[in-house]
Amino acid sequence: MDDEAMDEAAPVADSRLLLLAQEADVLPLISALVQDAIVHPAEIAYDRRARRLVLLLDRYRWEAGDRTRVRSALRIESVTRVQRRGWSAAGPHDPDIAVLDLLAFLIEGDILTIAFAAGPTLRIETECVDIILEDISPPWLAGSEPMHE
């Protein structure tokens, strides 16, 4: 068996992440951890009554250095308003938008923006920074490492 075949057969360490951010200075870390996450638009939900926005995502585990992804939940609390920008006219459940590639979090005052590749964004107004990033599945080997130009 060659080294590459051995790497593919090696078990993936199940070290799950749980991160709570309550200060704006932690957002660059969260942004780095969710960069290149795959998000299905139908798995973005805003509960106006609970004032919570939840995104389920397949997060590339940059921190692991082992070319793996993990299913994660990103919960943003104390949300007062969510706006979609750059989405197609059909809305976030448009079948033409199968997946979104999460690029970054940006914060300016009480506005948090989640930017996706090709232009769509979520503009989130919050009363305070209150974000939880939690891995909710074991990791699996990714098909490839995300590439940046």
Side-chain angles (χ1 to χ4, degrees), residues 73-135:
L74 179 68
R75 296 188 307 263
I76 303 169
E77 305 287 345
S78 304
V79 175
T80 57
R81 185 175 184 192
V82 177
Q83 294 175 299
R84 294 185 307 266
R85 296 197 173 171
W87 297 73
S88 73
H93 302 288
D94 182 349
D96 291 335
I97 303 175
V99 296
L100 297 166
D101 182 9
L102 199 152
L103 294 180
F105 275 26
L106 310 166
I107 190 157
E108 191 173 320
D110 62 349
I111 306 295
L112 172 66
T113 301
I114 300 176
F116 299 97
T121 63
L122 288 174
R123 183 178 183 276
I124 305 153
E125 295 179 24
T126 62
E127 290 181 345
C128 60
V129 175
D130 192 0
I131 299 173
I132 300 168
L133 175 62
E134 180 178 11
D135 293 343

Side-chain angles (χ1 to χ4, degrees), residues 29-102:
L29 173 62
I30 291 178
S31 183
L33 289 168
V34 299
Q35 182 180 21
D36 297 308
I38 296 169
V39 182
H40 297 270
E43 295 181 330
I44 300 172
Y46 175 46
D47 183 340
R48 188 179 317 248
R49 185 169 289 160
R51 299 178 25 191
R52 176 181 301 126
L53 178 69
V54 177
L55 290 85
L56 295 178
L57 41 99
D58 295 339
R59 186 176 72 78
Y60 191 83
R61 296 188 338 145
W62 289 107
E63 75 282 4
D66 61 3
R67 213 179 82 201
T68 55
R69 286 195 180 269
V70 66
R71 188 76 161 151
S72 299
L74 179 68
R75 296 188 307 263
I76 303 169
E77 305 287 345
S78 304
V79 175
T80 57
R81 185 175 184 192
V82 177
Q83 294 175 299
R84 294 185 307 266
R85 296 197 173 171
W87 297 73
S88 73
H93 302 288
D94 182 349
D96 291 335
I97 303 175
V99 296
L100 297 166
D101 182 9
L102 199 152

